[in-house]
Amino acid sequence: MAPLPLRLLLAGEEGIVRAIGGGKELYARLAALGFVPGKKVRVVQNQMCGPLIVSLGAGRVALGRGVAQRILVEKVLG
């Protein structure tokens, strides 16, 4: 399955981070938050406008839609 932008996942869906687009600063900022290749994320809230709320392990992070567009994930089925 081809990776898709995180912003397209619906609330309750999970994905595995496969790549992060953008520059080194964005990559470093997201890596500091835990968005690294191979990490499982779960979308807690996505109302298709405004920020996404994403669960990473025990924590939650709010992401702007532009940033969420740059995080490519492989959707976890089932």
Side-chain angles (χ1 to χ4, degrees), residues 2-40:
L4 65 151
L6 177 61
R7 72 173 184 81
L8 296 179
L9 294 187
L10 302 174
E13 293 184 324
E14 294 181 325
I16 306 291
V17 176
R18 293 299 179 209
I20 296 174
K24 291 179 182 177
E25 287 184 28
L26 178 62
Y27 187 91
R29 190 173 66 169
L30 290 173
L33 293 171
F35 290 93
V36 293
K39 182 76 173 186
K40 183 186 275 188

